[in-house]
Amino acid sequence: MEKTRKRRNTGRVTLQDVAKYAGVGSMTVSRTLRTPSMVSDKLREKIEQAIQELGYIPNGAAGVLASGQSNIIAVLVPSLTDKACATFIQSLQQVLNKHFFQVLLGCHEYNRNKEAEIIMTLLQSNAAALVIFGSQLTDKTYNNISHINIPIINVAGAHQQQTTINIEMNSSEAAYTLTEHMLSKGRKYIGYIGAQMDNRLQNQQINGWNKAMLHHYQNADQSITTSDVANMQFGRQAITEMLLRQPELEGVICSHEIIALGVMFECQRRLLKIPTDLAVACLEGSDNCDHTQPTLTSIRIDYPKIGRDTGKLLVKLLNKQDRNEPECQNDQHNLFSYRFEPRQSS
């Protein structure tokens, strides 16, 4: 005789299912989930066992509607693979997790036309706050978020009055300082190689390089840039072209560490000695620069610290809202700047 197989129930387990399984009322289960301290230990353990055995997943959206509170922080980044974004997100999440907030992440892969769409999708979760990292938001996007009554923190992006707090990094000053550092070593012919030039921070970099060169009465005509994502191959191709243009080139400033590594590999292939024949330095470097041969002079941006600072500011702001404290006028549109010094490798 053929054995009849039971059809697996694919429906979502409800709060009522948990209550029935535990032999209690729905309000008791709801109370256990919201305020466990108001339920006896024995009853709480019984309900928790029912939740575990049934695989019940609480409806977070319903909880938000009932309480008017959300523990979700929406975060928009331009890339998931870029090291700056990854380290910022990790540090931000570590701070927020300690205060029982969860990060909901959106990525537009440097496509400004998708920013507004992704932000609106993120905000459908009824997020408690929005963090925007390294994005050059369009007017349409800012018009959309200007009507949202939640804290908005803009990190390393275009300074706009619609955001509650702006955290800026002076990339122009960093590039100026690094270029001036190379000039002080007696280099005169210094080029610039940059990627992702549709990004505001990268445009600040090339402006800082240009300013330093002109300030020291040197020509700033050797630059090769692309709007594409930074990679080693671009570094190798760019330095090849730059050396063809100007064989007497003495130094090069790179927007990204990975571009500088490509430049160094190409120099090694050509038997050019670094830094004797060509000095190489990069902005947005990391500890990896200490392990090249020779080591790579770079600007080190402390993205983990920026992530932690952003998290702390956000928690403070949300706690202030929970206490219904009035916001002072000076609390709006605060500007926190980060400045950097070049780290010279041995």
Side-chain angles (χ1 to χ4, degrees):
M1 181 175 178
E2 185 179 352
K3 184 178 179 180
T4 304
R5 297 181 61 185
K6 291 184 178 180
R7 187 175 182 180
R8 185 177 179 182
N9 182 9
T10 58
R12 183 186 179 100
V13 177
T14 65
L15 186 141
Q16 289 74 21
D17 294 332
V18 174
K20 183 178 180 180
Y21 190 88
V24 298
S26 299
M27 290 299 296
T28 304
V29 177
S30 179
R31 188 181 301 111
T32 302
L33 293 172
R34 293 199 315 269
T35 53
S37 60
M38 295 183 64
V39 181
S40 67
D41 293 343
K42 184 177 181 180
L43 187 57
R44 185 172 65 250
E45 290 175 3
K46 186 177 182 181
I47 293 172
E48 288 175 351
Q49 183 179 356
I51 290 173
Q52 184 176 359
E53 291 183 7
L54 291 177
Y56 172 66
I57 301 175
N59 189 332
V64 168
L65 290 173
S67 64
Q69 297 178 335
S70 171
N71 68 336
I72 295 175
I73 306 298
V75 180
L76 177 70
V77 295
S79 171
L80 295 177
T81 57
D82 186 83
K83 187 168 184 178
C85 296
T87 53
F88 171 81
I89 293 167
Q90 183 181 31
S91 299
L92 173 67
Q93 184 165 294
Q94 287 173 351
V95 173
L96 294 177
N97 283 351
K98 291 179 181 178
H99 297 271
F100 307 103
F101 288 104
Q102 295 295 325
V103 169
L104 181 63
L105 194 60
C107 174
H108 57 74
E109 292 295 342
Y110 295 100
N111 185 344
R112 297 183 66 191
N113 295 326
K114 287 196 171 185
E115 290 173 344
E117 175 187 343
I118 295 173
I119 285 180
M120 298 314 295
T121 300
L122 288 172
L123 295 178
Q124 288 176 15
S125 65
N126 198 24
L130 172 65
V131 177
I132 303 169
F133 179 79
S135 294
Q136 311 306 300
L137 301 185
T138 62
D139 292 338
K140 175 185 177 182
T141 304
Y142 269 113
N143 288 335
N144 288 341
I145 67 176
S146 63
H147 304 294
I148 301 170
N149 190 27
I150 61 173
I152 301 173
I153 299 184
N154 183 22
V155 184
H159 177 52
Q160 296 285 345
Q161 293 301 312
Q162 286 92 336
T163 52
T164 311
I165 295 178
N166 289 280
I167 300 178
E168 282 207 342
M169 294 183 296
N170 198 330
S171 295
S172 177
E173 181 183 344
Y176 182 96
T177 303
L178 187 58
T179 307
E180 193 171 55
H181 172 77
M182 193 176 287
L183 288 163
S184 70
K185 300 298 182 180
R187 312 284 172 164
K188 294 181 180 179
Y189 307 110
I190 302 173
Y192 174 86
I193 300 175
Q196 298 164 211
M197 295 309 296
D198 56 346
N199 184 292
R200 172 175 170 266
L201 294 181
Q202 263 58 61
N203 280 313
Q204 285 184 353
Q205 288 182 6
I206 194 170
N207 289 338
W209 163 79
N210 188 285
K211 183 179 178 181
M213 293 293 287
L214 296 180
H215 186 259
H216 289 267
Y217 306 104
Q218 302 299 326
N219 290 329
D221 54 2
Q222 290 300 326
S223 65
I224 297 178
T225 62
T226 179
S227 60
D228 295 335
V229 176
N231 57 66
M232 286 190 191
Q233 183 62 27
F234 173 66
R236 298 187 67 166
Q237 292 173 347
I239 193 62
T240 298
E241 181 179 340
M242 196 170 283
L243 287 170
L244 284 173
R245 291 182 187 174
Q246 190 174 30
E248 66 273 22
L249 189 72
E250 296 176 310
V252 61
I253 303 291
C254 302
S255 63
H256 294 77
E257 176 184 279
I258 195 168
I259 292 177
L261 293 176
V263 170
M264 294 181 71
F265 291 150
E266 181 61 25
C267 287
Q268 290 174 0
R269 190 186 72 82
R270 291 168 173 261
L271 302 180
L272 294 175
K273 295 181 180 179
I274 300 173
T276 305
D277 298 327
L278 183 72
V280 182
C282 73
L283 298 145
E284 298 194 25
S286 71
D287 291 342
N288 293 333
C289 297
D290 297 329
H291 301 288
T292 61
Q293 183 59 40
T295 50
L296 181 62
T297 298
S298 62
I299 291 286
R300 307 291 174 90
I301 301 177
D302 196 348
Y303 286 111
K305 183 180 187 303
I306 297 173
R308 290 191 298 269
D309 288 351
T310 302
K312 291 173 183 176
L313 285 169
L314 188 53
V315 170
K316 182 179 179 180
L317 200 61
L318 293 173
N319 287 341
K320 189 175 184 180
Q321 285 189 342
D322 289 343
R323 294 192 297 266
N324 293 320
E325 295 181 11
E327 294 187 3
C328 300
Q329 187 65 30
N330 292 335
D331 286 341
Q332 296 294 321
H333 317 307
N334 288 330
L335 182 64
F336 296 84
S337 297
Y338 287 81
R339 296 186 177 186
F340 313 96
E341 295 295 331
R343 180 168 175 176
Q344 184 178 4
S345 302
S346 58

